[in-house]
């Protein structure tokens, strides 16, 4: 009875329904759901959304192979076009080769039961290597040239997460109610479909979201996982909490059937309403049938763990340090604080120092790739389980227009220049390093490593098994001393290798063993004065 649709496991099926009558404001006045029941007995209540005119849609992704029957439920039960519609979706599993072609076919990202890292629904570990594309929703990120060029580049460099903003609900062609970092004219926050709202904040604009769909779908097709920030922190000043709840429900209805992660906003404390953001985080938890991981992107230097870590809806931490080289201590301490909190939750350095960004506060130049490496390896060895890179010309997709909206100091280089900055290519070496070790079980141990000169060293390890050390570099080559606790000299054998974080090349590290205290010290000298990675592994006997 009803429609029969063939589908693939973990792939979105879009069902379309025509309302039998007209509504003055379907966005606010009508609510549609479809209840799906799988052959395994699982039930999912999937929200639908108004797609324009008399059209409504429900996006459903089967989480198990087999038949899924559905029946629609509409708040206007007398509308025969929306209420009581029935059908069946039959989902088939992917073949092994098809899974290799796109890892998103392995299922939605979730937090592992340990609370320490992410995995796909089939249990395959997911290592977060993100990039920042805040302007992905705008005309600047055009579908013909900019987005394809960007995605091809980032895929080659090993990225698999894109942090982006769903929209700027306070902006339209008539102006915007809240301040933004860049004083662009309002149309620069729009896309081919216009603004997120036809009438603030009562009538949504489906055309805007149709073009956002195309951007998100292309990311997913290439294996990326979008981390969606619903708005910016300042936007809550205009839309208010109740208006934002309607906005979030619409976003959830359109994108929960995709492999995404949520944040109600970027930089939440730019509207200092901790309780309001809590309500919006809870709205994701309540309304999302798939339970995608949810967090809140923080201001700098800060982690939202400060307000929300123990709450059920809050699944992982997004740390921001900000674009100030003098904040290097926050780079080390904030991840360690989050790692030690209970219950365990993954932490991501989601916004650290952007490459080619001005060094804020001191205003003494731009941030280059050596600092980017520091901002990457230090958090990873201090407790983060992933990293999001950023470049000044990329987050803004600056294209030389509206130059007068930037001060000379803060104006980016054009995005095509910053696409090829050296730090972005070096992210592939980060991912290769982490995938060469048992990264899921590394623990931060800054107390197990030291040096004698002006450089700093950081360590994450699995006791008597694997040790990863980052040496920040100095004026000369430096000794690196790693304490291997509980291991007596002659008891276990260890082999070391240097990784050049600029090139990804490996070379042997000749170490000396010294008994010390209750354990053993393994000592080596860096190849030169630059920053280096040292990997030490126990040799199986």
């Amino acid at each position: 009875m009803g429609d029969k649709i063939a589908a693939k496991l973990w792939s979105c099926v879009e069902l379309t329904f025509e309302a039998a009558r007209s509504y003055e404001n379907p966005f606010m006045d009508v609510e549609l759901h479809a209840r799906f029941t799988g052959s395994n007995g699982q039930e999912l209540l999937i929200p639908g959304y108004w797609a324009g005119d008399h059209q409504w849609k429900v996006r459903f992704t089967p989480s198990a192979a087999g038949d899924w029957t559905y029946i629609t439920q509409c708040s206007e039960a007398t509308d025969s076009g929306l209420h009581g519609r029935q059908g069946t979706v039959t989902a088939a599993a992917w073949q092994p080769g098809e899974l290799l072609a796109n890892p998103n076919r392995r299922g939605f990202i979730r937090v592992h039961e340990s609370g320490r890292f992410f995995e796909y629904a089939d249990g395959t570990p997911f290592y977060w290597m993100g990039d920042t594309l805040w302007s992905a929703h705008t005309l600047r990120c055009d579908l013909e040239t900019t987005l394809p060029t960007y995605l091809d580049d980032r895929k080659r460099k090993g990225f698999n997460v894109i942090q982006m903003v769903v929209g700027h609900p306070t902006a339209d062609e008539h102006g915007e109610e809240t301040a933004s970092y860049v004083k662009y004219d309002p149309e620069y926050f729009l896309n081919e479909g216009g603004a997120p709202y036809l009438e603030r904040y009562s009538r949504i604009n489906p055309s805007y979201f149709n073009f956002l769909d195309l951007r998100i779908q292309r990311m997913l097709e290439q294996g990326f996982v979008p981390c969606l920030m619903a708005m910016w922190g300042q936007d809550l000043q205009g839309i208010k909490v109740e208006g934002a709840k309607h906005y979030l429900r619409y976003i959830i209805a359109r994108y929960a059937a995709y492999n995404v992660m949520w944040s109600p906003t970027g930089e939440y404390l730019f509207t200092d309403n901790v309780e309001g953001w809590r309500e919006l985080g809870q709205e994701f938890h309540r309304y999302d049938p798939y339970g995608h991981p949810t967090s809140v992107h923080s201001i700098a230097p800060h982690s939202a763990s400060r307000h929300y870590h123990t709450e059920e809806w809050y699944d992982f931490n997004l740390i921001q340090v900000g674009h100030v080289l003098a904040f290097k201590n926050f780079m080390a301490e904030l991840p360690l604080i989050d790692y030690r909190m209970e219950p365990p939750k993954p932490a991501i350095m989601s916004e650290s120092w952007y490459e080619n960004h001005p060094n804020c506060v001191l205003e003494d130049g731009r941030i280059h790739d050596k600092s980017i490496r520091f901002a990457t390896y230090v958090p990873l060895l201090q407790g983060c389980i992933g990293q999001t890179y950023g470049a000044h010309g990329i987050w803004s997709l600056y294209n030389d227009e509206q130059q007068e909206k930037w001060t000379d100091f803060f104006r980016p280089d054009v995005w095509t220049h910053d696409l090829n900055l050296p730090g972005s290519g070096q992210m592939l070496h980060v991912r290769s390093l982490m995938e060469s070790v048992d990264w899921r079980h590394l623990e931060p141990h800054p107390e197990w490593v030291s040096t004698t000169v002006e450089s700093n060293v950081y360590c994450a390890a699995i006791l008597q098994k694997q040790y990863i050390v980052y040496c920040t570099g100095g004026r000369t080559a430096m000794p690196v001393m790693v304490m291997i606790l509980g291991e007596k000299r002659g008891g276990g054998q260890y082999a070391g290798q240097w990784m050049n974080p600029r090139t990804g090349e490996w070379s042997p590290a000749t170490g000396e063993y010294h008994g010390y205290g209750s354990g053993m010290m393994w000592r080596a000298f860096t190849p030169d004065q630059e920053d280096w990675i040292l990997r030490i592994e126990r040799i199986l006997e």
Side-chain angles (χ1 to χ4, degrees):
M1 184 177 179
D3 295 333
K4 294 185 178 181
I5 301 170
K8 282 286 196 177
L9 184 62
W10 296 114
S11 291
C12 177
V13 175
E14 188 173 274
L15 307 176
T16 302
F17 305 98
E18 292 286 333
R21 45 184 276 214
S22 297
Y23 298 95
E24 182 178 347
N25 187 351
F27 170 61
M28 298 292 288
D29 298 342
V30 181
E31 194 167 340
L32 177 69
H33 287 83
R35 185 174 297 278
F36 284 80
T37 304
S39 53
N40 60 357
Q42 182 183 8
E43 286 194 353
L44 290 171
L45 185 63
I46 307 297
Y49 64 91
W50 177 56
D53 297 325
H54 287 72
Q55 194 174 83
W56 288 75
K57 293 187 177 183
V58 171
R59 288 176 173 170
F60 165 70
T61 292
S63 56
D67 289 340
W68 291 80
T69 59
Y70 70 83
I71 183 168
T72 62
Q73 303 170 358
C74 181
S75 57
E76 296 292 329
T78 59
D79 191 323
S80 59
L82 301 179
H83 188 76
R85 300 289 301 276
Q86 300 182 51
T88 302
V89 174
T90 302
W94 295 100
Q95 297 301 310
E98 294 173 317
L99 293 176
L100 292 175
N102 187 339
N104 282 325
R105 294 168 178 170
R106 297 187 176 279
F108 292 162
I109 299 298
R110 65 190 182 192
V111 176
H112 183 263
E113 61 183 7
S114 68
R116 286 298 183 197
F117 60 91
F118 298 98
E119 63 182 3
Y120 291 97
D122 69 355
T124 302
F126 176 81
Y127 186 78
W128 178 307
M129 181 53 68
D131 193 27
T132 307
L133 193 66
W134 295 138
S135 298
H137 61 292
T138 68
L139 278 166
R140 298 196 299 284
C141 187
D142 70 274
L143 293 157
E144 292 73 31
T145 302
T146 304
L147 185 60
T149 301
Y150 169 84
L151 292 178
D152 288 346
D153 179 88
R154 275 7 192 186
K155 187 173 183 178
R156 287 195 307 271
K157 293 174 178 174
F159 292 94
N160 58 4
V161 173
I162 297 175
Q163 290 180 189
M164 60 176 290
V165 181
V166 171
H168 204 349
T170 59
D172 60 27
E173 63 272 20
H174 304 298
E176 56 178 327
E177 292 185 0
T178 57
S180 180
Y181 288 123
V182 184
K183 307 304 181 185
Y184 278 144
D185 292 336
E187 63 265 22
Y188 278 76
F189 295 106
L190 314 183
N191 67 23
E192 300 89 338
Y197 279 92
L198 295 169
E199 299 174 11
R200 297 183 192 153
Y201 299 99
S202 61
R203 188 180 294 270
I204 208 77
N205 180 9
S207 181
Y208 170 89
F209 289 92
N210 290 341
F211 286 98
L212 185 64
D213 290 352
L214 297 176
R215 290 162 167 80
I216 292 174
Q217 289 163 0
R218 291 191 184 181
M219 295 174 187
L220 294 163
E221 288 164 2
Q222 292 213 38
F224 293 97
V225 178
C227 183
L228 300 179
M229 316 283 174
M231 65 185 93
W232 282 113
Q234 302 95 323
D235 286 315
L236 194 60
Q237 298 167 28
I239 196 170
K240 309 302 182 187
V241 172
E242 287 307 310
K245 287 182 179 180
H246 289 283
Y247 176 64
L248 293 191
R249 290 173 201 154
Y250 192 81
I251 291 169
I252 294 166
R254 288 197 80 121
Y255 301 118
Y258 295 153
N259 194 11
V260 299
M261 289 173 275
W262 304 122
S263 172
T265 186
E267 300 183 314
Y268 71 101
L269 284 182
F270 279 112
T271 295
D272 189 3
N273 185 350
V274 171
E275 178 56 35
W277 293 119
R278 175 178 287 112
E279 290 185 45
L280 297 180
Q282 291 169 339
E283 196 72 4
F284 278 117
H285 188 73
R286 184 185 73 82
Y287 206 67
D288 175 9
Y290 293 101
H292 294 290
T294 302
S295 184
V296 183
H297 180 263
S298 65
I299 60 170
H302 182 57
S303 169
S305 62
R306 168 185 168 189
H307 292 124
Y308 307 119
H309 185 89
T310 61
E311 299 186 19
E312 185 179 359
W313 62 269
Y314 183 86
D315 298 305
F316 64 104
N317 291 310
L318 291 172
I319 303 170
Q320 182 182 173
V321 168
H323 314 294
V324 184
L325 294 179
F327 285 177
K328 64 179 183 178
N329 287 355
F330 293 113
M331 203 72 72
E333 294 304 320
L334 289 176
L336 198 57
I337 290 169
D338 279 2
Y339 182 86
R340 290 171 173 170
M341 294 187 78
E342 293 291 341
K345 292 184 178 181
I348 303 296
M349 181 55 72
S350 66
E351 187 171 345
S352 54
W353 299 333
Y354 285 171
E355 194 166 9
N356 207 21
H357 194 288
N359 180 21
C360 298
V361 180
L362 298 179
E363 297 192 0
D364 58 355
R366 301 225 166 193
I367 298 170
H368 300 297
D369 60 309
K370 184 173 183 178
S371 295
I372 296 301
R373 295 193 297 274
F374 181 95
T376 299
Y377 288 106
V378 171
L380 290 179
L381 300 186
Q382 290 286 98
C384 282
I385 203 66
Q387 170 76 12
T388 298
Y389 168 86
H392 193 32
I394 296 298
W395 75 260
S396 58
L397 284 176
Y398 181 64
N399 57 13
D400 248 350
E401 296 184 76
Q402 300 270 297
Q403 292 189 19
E404 73 282 359
K405 302 297 181 179
W406 300 80
T407 65
D408 290 341
F409 178 70
F410 275 99
R411 188 179 301 116
D413 284 317
V414 296
W415 75 270
T416 49
H417 172 274
D418 281 11
L419 188 69
N420 299 304
L421 291 170
S424 65
Q426 293 163 12
M427 293 300 105
L428 182 60
H429 312 326
V430 179
R431 185 169 176 180
S432 297
L433 167 69
M434 301 307 287
E435 291 180 347
S436 76
V437 298
D438 187 7
W439 59 268
R440 295 167 294 169
H441 299 108
L442 289 173
E443 298 178 348
H445 283 286
E447 76 281 11
W448 288 0
V449 63
S450 189
T451 187
T452 60
V453 292
E454 75 276 5
S455 176
N456 287 326
V457 284
Y458 301 86
C459 177
I462 304 171
L463 180 63
Q464 298 181 15
K465 181 180 178 182
Q466 292 177 328
Y467 299 78
I468 302 296
V469 179
Y470 179 60
C471 318
T472 64
R475 288 189 292 270
T476 62
M478 69 202 69
V480 179
M481 294 164 283
V482 183
M483 302 305 299
I484 303 178
L485 301 181
E487 189 76 84
K488 298 297 184 182
R489 185 174 181 181
Q493 295 298 311
Y494 292 81
Q497 285 188 300
W498 295 109
M499 190 193 84
N500 185 331
R502 295 163 293 285
T503 66
E505 295 176 336
W506 292 89
S507 58
T510 302
E512 299 176 350
Y513 295 93
H514 298 268
Y516 194 87
S518 62
M520 184 186 77
M521 181 176 68
W522 198 96
R523 185 181 71 181
F525 279 81
T526 59
D528 56 32
Q529 76 279 8
E530 299 292 341
D531 57 321
W532 286 89
I533 294 290
L534 174 63
R535 183 182 68 191
I536 304 173
E537 296 183 290
R538 186 185 180 104
I539 301 172
L540 296 178
E541 300 172 358

